[in-house]
Amino acid sequence: MRIVMIGSGYVGLVSGACLADFGHQVVCVDKDAGKVARLKGGEIPIYEPGLDELVERNVAAGRLSFSTELAEPVEQADVVFIAVGTPARRGDGHADLSYVYAAAAEMAPSLRGFTVVVTKSTVPVGTGDEVERILREHNPDAEVAVASNPEFLREGAAIQDFKRPDRIVIGIEDDRARPVMEEVYRPLYLNHSPILFTGRRTSELIKYAANAFLAMKITFINEVADLCEQVGADVQQVARGIGLDNRIGSKFLHAGPGYGGSCFPKDTLALVKTAEDAGTPIRLVEATVAVNDTRKRAMGRKVIAACGGSVRGRKVAVLGLTFKPNTDDMRDAPSLAVIQALEDGGAQVCAFDPEGMAAARPLLPGTEFANSPYEAAKDAVALVIVTEWDAFRALDLQKLRGVMAGDVLVDLRNIYRPEAVTAAGFTYTGIGRAVQPIAEELSVAAE
Ligand code: NAD
């Protein structure tokens, strides 16, 4: 099958490379000439485990190529995916669909024969209708079916998620698209991955409902963590205690500094706006957005409180900048708000991240960057763990304490056992953890 992927960012590049690996002939198109030049030169513009090898293998096999030119690949395509960005529109929080609509207008004149155009970008309900209208306006004779196929991959585990998805959702209004999409995902169909065909609007909404639900789950446990701190309970054990209930499940119950990243913040906001416009406000998601927004900055205040109420003129080390481990993505990362709050409080922040520093530098002009956790910690009064990279899980705590000027360790991801940190001479602050050691372990017999 001949496939064009418009947009070669996180989703487009991973999806394009995986579809090529399924045996399809894929051209990844991007209007960013610099990005395409790097891809053609064998350089992967993002950090995603396994992606370099996957791209290299499929380019070498002649199944995957890159281009800035849309016309020729679209002329030959059976399927054209739109995987461009849909950021929050400045000012009102609606999804900015200008890139999606531009891609539709650009490809329309080149459509030849029956083609399925698929929105893989996360787009609000009704976007597929508008894409179809644009295609017909620019090419009234086009034989085209517009489908929705939202992407659920997670950065950091993107290839695994694409190749072994929990489900594939495909929204269609034209039955001719169904066998074409079945063919696109044939290897996954043979693997028994559930493929859910729905109407186009339903498919569009499934993506937002899924992200909003996950964001709500995180926000719920974050608020429970705050309560734990006030009443002497331990959120880790509360999360385990409720997560063992199959109806709840243990995932997305890790208390932390608030969700960030390229999807949850903008998608929750966009869903709120869609619901408002439809006259059915979605209060739980509104509350989630509001709680999460205030939480990130509150984490900065938490660090300042752990330092005795002031960080003015003092050095604070921050470990982890990306919004989660195994990515270099800094979009809406909680670290940005935490560091801003610390710098507003007069601290000099020195940060280290295994992969995110290049992307972080322009966003954090007042921050220093170190080459290792130990260099970041040198002469700092406090050490703050913001992102739970594996590399931070087994630090030499004695060595860290030895190079620091103070003894404060704030673990915003609860990756350390408080006793281990205290034994190394630190004063430990976690998220939602009881100050007193808990005597009783929850029984694991229920497992
Ligand atoms: P991105 O910003 O990394 O990539 C988008 C790419 O599209 C850019 O390289 C840009 O140059 C290109 N582009 C924009 N307009 C174009 C045009 N007209 N022609 C060709 N190229 C064009 O974005 P992303 O993170 O890959 O996200 C893409 C979509 O997928 C968004 O809707 C997002 O919400 C959704 N999504 C993202 C993730 C994720 O983890 N990043 C997961 C699921 C869904």
Side-chain angles (χ1 to χ4, degrees):
M1 234 176 189
R2 290 189 171 270
I3 294 176
V4 173
M5 188 66 63
I6 303 183
S8 307
Y10 230 109
V11 166
L13 185 55
V14 171
S15 307
C18 288
L19 290 173
D21 216 40
F22 290 170
H24 300 304
Q25 204 66 37
V26 180
V27 183
C28 283
V29 176
D30 205 290
K31 65 175 183 187
D32 178 340
K35 191 177 272 188
V36 171
R38 287 168 74 186
L39 285 164
K40 281 184 167 173
E43 197 188 323
I44 306 296
I46 52 169
Y47 174 76
E48 177 64 36
L51 186 58
D52 44 2
E53 192 270 328
L54 184 74
V55 168
E56 192 185 324
R57 177 152 42 91
N58 284 284
V59 168
R63 290 188 295 261
L64 179 62
S65 60
F66 305 99
S67 176
T68 50
E69 294 303 323
L70 204 63
E72 201 188 316
V74 168
E75 277 173 23
Q76 296 169 1
D78 302 300
V79 183
V80 181
F81 281 94
I82 301 178
V84 300
T86 49
R89 199 161 68 187
R90 216 169 278 176
D92 66 2
H94 278 282
D96 178 352
L97 297 171
S98 57
Y99 303 101
V100 172
Y101 295 154
E106 283 161 33
M107 81 169 88
S110 307
L111 293 167
R112 302 277 182 279
F114 179 63
T115 315
V116 181
V117 173
V118 188
T119 49
K120 189 161 258 319
S121 301
T122 301
V123 292
V125 171
T127 304
D129 304 4
E130 182 61 11
V131 167
E132 189 165 342
R133 194 197 63 72
I134 293 171
L135 293 174
R136 298 206 185 288
E137 181 187 305
H138 287 78
N139 186 347
D141 300 329
E143 260 200 89
V144 68
V146 176
S148 154
N149 171 218
E151 183 49 56
F152 298 97
L153 62 76
R154 295 162 301 166
E155 294 184 12
I159 294 168
Q160 156 84 11
D161 284 351
F162 193 94
K163 289 191 162 183
R164 300 206 167 269
D166 290 341
R167 79 305 204 185
I168 299 151
V169 176
I170 299 172
I172 52 170
E173 297 299 324
D174 180 335
D175 285 341
R176 290 177 302 169
R178 187 175 174 134
V180 176
M181 294 308 288
E182 280 174 346
E183 183 60 23
V184 168
Y185 285 111
R186 201 159 64 95
L188 299 184
Y189 179 75
L190 296 175
N191 267 351
H192 302 294
S193 298
I195 302 188
L196 184 64
F197 279 94
T198 69
R200 203 162 58 198
R201 288 180 165 239
T202 302
S203 164
E204 289 168 339
L205 189 54
I206 285 172
K207 173 65 189 176
Y208 281 97
N211 272 3
F213 191 86
L214 294 172
M216 253 172 14
K217 206 172 170 191
I218 294 173
T219 305
F220 175 78
I221 202 66
N222 283 343
E223 289 207 297
V224 170
D226 291 348
L227 178 60
C228 285
E229 287 175 15
Q230 295 308 314
V231 300
D234 185 306
V235 75
Q236 305 268 96
Q237 299 200 27
V238 173
R240 188 159 160 73
I242 64 175
L244 285 168
D245 184 329
N246 284 331
R247 293 167 303 176
I248 297 174
S250 59
K251 296 196 175 143
F252 280 74
L253 284 181
H254 301 286
Y259 61 77
S262 63
C263 292
F264 286 179
K266 75 174 178 63
D267 292 348
T268 44
L269 212 51
L271 181 60
V272 164
K273 294 295 171 190
T274 300
E276 262 175 23
D277 288 353
T280 51
I282 191 156
R283 301 280 186 231
L284 281 173
V285 184
E286 287 175 18
T288 299
V289 170
V291 169
N292 194 65
D293 276 353
T294 51
R295 182 172 189 81
K296 295 185 202 172
R297 223 179 137 78
M299 290 299 112
R301 291 198 296 277
K302 186 182 176 83
V303 175
I304 295 172
C307 293
S310 173
V311 286
R312 187 157 299 283
R314 296 154 101 189
K315 178 176 171 184
V316 176
V318 167
L319 298 189
L321 294 168
T322 51
F323 83 94
K324 67 173 178 179
N326 296 327
T327 177
D328 58 357
D329 202 332
M330 283 297 298
R331 287 178 278 189
D332 267 314
S335 65
L336 297 171
V338 173
I339 290 175
Q340 188 63 58
L342 292 171
E343 290 179 349
D344 289 349
Q348 176 59 58
V349 174
C350 185
F352 171 76
D353 187 281
E355 297 290 341
M357 293 200 289
R361 265 178 225 276
L363 305 173
L364 294 167
T367 306
E368 288 171 10
F369 294 87
N371 292 314
S372 75
Y374 304 98
E375 189 186 318
K378 191 169 181 302
D379 300 327
V381 291
L383 182 78
V384 189
I385 298 171
V386 182
T387 312
E388 69 278 31
W389 284 90
D390 276 346
F392 301 152
R393 290 179 187 272
L395 295 170
D396 183 337
L397 294 173
Q398 309 261 357
K399 182 174 165 190
L400 270 179
R401 179 66 191 89
V403 298
M404 284 174 61
D407 67 353
V408 174
L409 192 148
V410 182
D411 179 4
L412 296 180
R413 298 288 183 174
N414 287 347
I415 61 175
Y416 276 97
R417 283 184 22 252
E419 312 83 68
V421 175
T422 311
F426 282 102
T427 310
Y428 179 85
T429 304
I431 297 279
R433 290 182 137 176
V435 177
Q436 300 298 323
I438 303 290
E440 282 174 68
E441 283 290 319
L442 280 182
S443 167
V444 291
E447 273 188 292

